[in-house]
Amino acid sequence: MTFDLMVKRIYEPPAPGDGQRVLVDRIWPRGVSKEHAALALWLKEVAPSDELRKWFGHEPARWAEFRERYRAELDGNDEAVSQLRGLLGEGRVTLLYGAHDEAHNNAVALAGYLRGK
């Protein structure tokens, strides 16, 4: 099944084509008001554990192992993943994240996980 899934930094302005905007970070991003975020949902339960997030530290050299560890966490997190899949069944979903690195962050890893299942 193909999902209409996008990934975007929360600091970028909301756009009509975003569909349902879902923040997938465990921690609320600095300097972003709830109004500006224009969220359908803050699904912090689908974010990496604090332990994994701190271990990764957005180090690109740890990216491959981070994705593997995060996939293992997601495999054991049926409730949050199912909630996200339910939204994907309704149309476009944009996964939002606060990290500076656009290529190595949990939203990119989560999108890859969802597309691979």
Side-chain angles (χ1 to χ4, degrees):
M1 177 178 214
T2 302
F3 297 118
D4 191 357
L5 182 63
M6 296 179 15
V7 176
K8 187 174 181 179
R9 278 192 88 216
I10 196 164
Y11 298 101
E12 295 176 40
D18 287 347
Q20 296 190 74
R21 294 168 50 89
V22 180
L23 178 61
V24 294
D25 284 348
R26 193 166 296 277
I27 299 170
W28 188 265
R30 261 187 202 166
V32 177
S33 69
K34 294 196 182 199
E35 294 77 29
H36 173 77
L39 297 181
L41 179 65
W42 178 17
L43 191 58
K44 57 185 159 187
E45 297 81 8
V46 81
S49 66
D50 285 336
E51 179 182 325
L52 180 56
R53 181 180 54 81
K54 289 174 185 175
W55 171 84
F56 175 47
H58 298 283
E59 293 289 333
R62 294 182 177 169
W63 176 241
E65 187 171 346
F66 168 77
R67 285 190 336 218
E68 287 179 29
R69 291 183 185 190
Y70 187 32
R71 281 186 202 127
E73 287 186 357
L74 291 167
D75 284 343
N77 192 354
D78 291 335
E79 188 175 328
V81 172
S82 293
Q83 189 174 1
L84 193 49
R85 286 188 193 283
L87 291 176
L88 286 164
E90 298 173 10
R92 175 172 285 170
V93 172
T94 297
L95 303 178
L96 300 169
Y97 65 94
H100 293 286
D101 189 332
E102 295 181 10
H104 305 99
N105 63 69
N106 64 297
V108 169
L110 178 57
Y113 175 86
L114 292 167
R115 289 180 179 125
K117 290 284 180 176

